[in-house]
Amino acid sequence: MDRNPSPPSSEAEEEGDAVGNTVYSKHWLFSILTRLIEVISPEKTEPGVSPEGIQTELDEEMENDICKVWDMSMDEDVALFLQEFNAPDIFMGVFAKSKCPRLTEICVGILGNMACFQDICMSISKDENLGQVLLQRLCDSDSPTLLETSRLLLTCLSQPEVASVWVERIRENPSVYDCVCFIMSSSTNVELLVKVGEVVDKLFDLDEELMLNWIKNGTCRSVGPSVDDSPEELPDFKIVPCILEAAKQVRSDNPEGLDVYMHILQLLTTVDEGIQAIVQAPDGGKETWSLLYDLICHELCQPDDPPIIVQEQKTVLASILSVLSAMFASQSEQEYIKMRKSNVKLPFSCYFILDMPLIGSLIRILQYMEGCGKRSVDNSKDSEQQETGRADLNEEDFHLKILKDICCELLSNMLQELTKENTLEGLHQGHLNEQTCSCAFQNLLPLYFTSVESFLEVLREADQTLADNLEKRFPSLKVHA
């Protein structure tokens, strides 16, 4: 989308014509709104107008002027003026009658700017007809319009006073699920995917019931996007594959977008239904595990990165490891049930459990966190921090602690499942050595003593010397041996 033209900066033509404390002219703004009404209610057919009399393209002058209004609407005085002169109602007419995608995009964008101000947002949100029309824009086939619609929805969902209104409205509109899934699974527009992801993330964070409904959805069909506005039956969408497809699209171009989609997956794992939706997919969760594994082992927090990278990636790492941990625990439970039913101790058959590169990556994250911790201590000695600096540091420490807790839990569970063969493989590949094992033990003890003790027994079979050295470093293990 091209950059919008700058708004007019000339003085208001007449005394008292200024909008609030701005230099913008009320008369000029009103003339644009009047022309906008004429665009959607033409009296005669002109070039760029469809046979039905509805304009399909904006002339350059009109587009420049309405784009100026779009920019001006970021000013609260202008937004209040537009509200006073019923601009939202005019925009509703545009949505109902316009066949011009650019015009629709601009009008939604203006509403999005207006919604940034609390009183206007409340007015827009309480208008049931406008709310329904805006949700219908999610079924539009025009990516810029979808982007502005998503931005508007996110703005409203981010305001506590009206968020519940939109959540309820979305819950009562099954087509929103289909349209959002359609975008996530088929769009290649990274900016749009990120914004839609932010909307889904906010919805799931605000309302667990809606998240549960979307997890269970995919059995009914509804009307979705169509270029010619004719009803179109959409595929039978499932939420997890759609999230994965969007994550794959944004992973290389937009780290913030990847963070958003990983957090959506993490939110799914906060309910049993979400975990089951991941691990009981037709592929048994392989696609999810494969993507997350690839991110952890080959993209994030790599050996050639400086330790400080763990601070930059702490939220996305925490989300990914949280999902992996939930999948691990779920599959472990399934294997345990199989053992109970068969009354025979079965080998742990899940394809992702005993992977040494992943264990190596988990230990590397812990090593980098130790490096960051030492740097923070050194920095605190060099200079006194301001109060705001302390608050930021505390928040950062909090997120790093969450990452460490999740990392340790997954690592302890995986170490407990290692066999002699797995351990020998890890030693051969370099993922396990005295340095990495010491880091693991340092972080896991004493909370995960049982897991460490179990791993040490297996390690003793694979490398007696290494096991003895570790026992000397951690006397508490030798006492219990």
Side-chain angles (χ1 to χ4, degrees):
M1 183 173 64
D2 295 333
R3 182 182 178 89
N4 295 328
S6 299
S9 57
S10 59
E11 296 290 337
E13 294 177 356
E14 302 175 6
E15 187 177 351
D17 186 44
V19 177
N21 294 320
T22 73
V23 296
Y24 306 134
S25 165
K26 291 180 182 178
H27 177 77
W28 184 85
L29 273 170
F30 189 76
S31 70
I32 300 303
L33 294 177
T34 302
R35 288 169 60 193
L36 191 56
I37 295 173
E38 293 172 354
V39 166
I40 58 174
S41 303
E43 295 182 358
K44 60 181 180 178
T45 301
E46 298 176 354
V49 176
S50 69
E52 293 80 13
I54 303 299
Q55 191 164 329
T56 56
E57 294 182 9
L58 282 176
D59 63 68
E60 185 176 351
E61 181 183 359
M62 182 60 186
E63 180 171 351
N64 286 338
D65 285 344
I66 196 67
C67 280
K68 290 175 183 177
V69 177
W70 190 357
D71 281 343
M72 293 163 62
S73 62
M74 291 187 288
D75 185 290
E76 186 172 8
D77 286 335
V78 174
L80 288 170
F81 176 85
L82 293 172
Q83 176 77 2
E84 180 183 354
F85 282 89
N86 299 318
D89 290 341
I90 297 174
F91 297 153
M92 277 189 65
V94 171
F95 303 149
K97 297 181 180 180
S98 175
K99 300 294 183 181
C100 176
R102 178 62 170 159
L103 179 59
T104 302
E105 173 207 351
I106 295 170
C107 290
V108 178
I110 295 172
L111 275 177
N113 284 349
M114 294 171 64
C116 292
F117 306 104
Q118 183 177 333
D119 290 344
I120 300 177
C121 186
M122 291 181 67
S123 175
I124 291 173
S125 301
K126 290 178 180 179
D127 187 329
E128 186 62 29
N129 290 333
L130 180 57
Q132 295 295 338
V133 169
L134 287 172
L135 290 184
Q136 290 173 11
R137 291 299 95 210
L138 285 173
C139 293
D140 205 293
S141 59
D142 180 60
S143 290
T145 298
L146 289 171
L147 176 61
E148 293 307 318
T149 303
S150 302
R151 185 173 72 88
L152 170 58
L153 289 177
L154 184 62
T155 299
C156 294
L157 289 168
S158 299
Q159 300 220 20
E161 298 80 9
V162 299
S164 60
V165 174
W166 285 97
V167 169
E168 183 64 26
R169 188 174 286 150
I170 291 170
R171 192 190 296 136
E172 294 175 354
N173 280 268
S175 63
V176 173
Y177 169 86
D178 278 337
C179 293
V180 167
C181 285
F182 181 81
I183 294 169
M184 290 193 297
S185 62
S186 62
S187 178
T188 57
N189 185 319
V190 171
E191 190 178 4
L192 171 59
L193 287 172
V194 173
K195 195 58 64 177
V196 168
E198 290 175 343
V199 171
V200 174
D201 188 42
K202 192 68 177 177
L203 282 171
F204 286 3
D205 195 37
L206 286 170
D207 193 81
E208 185 176 294
E209 181 184 346
L210 183 142
M211 181 172 71
L212 286 169
N213 288 342
W214 282 26
I215 291 170
K216 298 171 185 176
N217 214 326
T219 57
C220 59
R221 299 179 183 274
S222 56
V223 175
S226 178
V227 175
D228 58 3
D229 285 344
S230 60
E232 179 179 296
E233 194 176 72
L234 287 174
D236 192 15
F237 288 118
K238 300 291 185 183
I239 190 68
V240 173
C242 295
I243 293 170
L244 293 178
E245 189 59 39
K248 292 174 186 176
Q249 286 290 329
V250 305
R251 64 184 288 187
S252 300
D253 299 322
N254 195 300
E256 292 78 13
L258 179 64
D259 200 343
V260 168
Y261 279 99
M262 293 302 100
H263 190 253
I264 295 173
L265 283 176
Q266 182 183 3
L267 287 174
L268 291 182
T269 64
T270 60
V271 294
D272 186 61
E273 292 86 347
I275 298 173
Q276 297 309 311
I278 294 173
V279 300
Q280 293 185 1
D283 64 356
K286 287 185 180 181
E287 186 177 359
T288 302
W289 186 273
S290 177
L291 173 62
L292 303 188
Y293 173 90
D294 196 40
L295 290 169
I296 289 292
C297 294
H298 301 130
E299 286 192 24
L300 302 173
C301 202
Q302 293 302 292
D304 55 350
D305 289 328
I308 194 69
I309 195 71
V310 78
Q311 290 186 343
E312 298 175 14
Q313 298 174 350
K314 56 184 177 292
T315 56
V316 68
L317 286 170
S319 294
I320 293 172
L321 295 183
S322 181
V323 177
L324 293 176
S325 186
M327 294 179 72
F328 184 99
S330 177
Q331 293 293 345
S332 297
E333 182 180 352
Q334 294 300 316
E335 290 295 321
Y336 179 70
I337 292 172
K338 289 179 184 178
M339 287 190 332
R340 292 276 310 264
K341 287 183 177 180
S342 63
N343 211 19
V344 176
K345 183 173 178 58
L346 300 175
F348 206 85
S349 60
C350 188
Y351 61 92
F352 55 69
I353 293 303
L354 305 175
D355 190 279
M356 296 313 304
L358 179 55
I359 289 177
S361 295
L362 295 177
I363 296 175
R364 181 168 59 252
I365 291 171
L366 292 173
Q367 289 175 315
Y368 282 10
M369 291 179 71
E370 288 180 352
C372 290
K374 292 176 183 177
R375 177 171 296 190
S376 296
V377 172
D378 293 339
N379 289 342
S380 65
K381 291 178 180 178
D382 292 339
S383 62
E384 293 186 7
Q385 296 173 319
Q386 299 295 328
E387 288 300 320
T388 54
R390 290 196 189 98
D392 291 341
L393 181 61
N394 290 337
E395 182 179 355
E396 187 171 276
D397 287 346
F398 174 73
H399 287 296
L400 286 173
K401 183 181 183 304
I402 291 176
L403 173 58
K404 179 181 176 181
D405 290 345
I406 296 170
C407 189
C408 286
E409 180 181 5
L410 178 56
L411 179 60
S412 69
N413 288 333
M414 296 188 77
L415 289 180
Q416 200 163 9
E417 296 293 341
L418 289 181
T419 64
K420 177 182 177 182
E421 290 72 22
N422 303 135
T423 304
L424 286 169
E425 179 188 358
L427 292 168
H428 177 71
Q429 294 175 350
H431 300 299
L432 297 179
N433 53 48
E434 188 167 345
Q435 182 184 16
T436 58
C437 289
S438 295
C439 176
F441 287 13
Q442 183 70 41
N443 285 278
L444 295 177
L445 292 172
L447 184 60
Y448 296 102
F449 181 88
T450 303
S451 296
V452 173
E453 189 178 42
S454 172
F455 168 65
L456 190 61
E457 286 299 318
V458 175
L459 182 61
R460 190 174 284 110
E461 298 178 26
D463 190 329
Q464 180 70 50
T465 302
L466 177 55
D468 291 342
N469 290 341
L470 289 169
E471 280 188 342
K472 292 176 184 177
R473 277 197 169 196
F474 300 91
S476 61
L477 292 171
K478 193 171 185 179
V479 170
H480 288 81

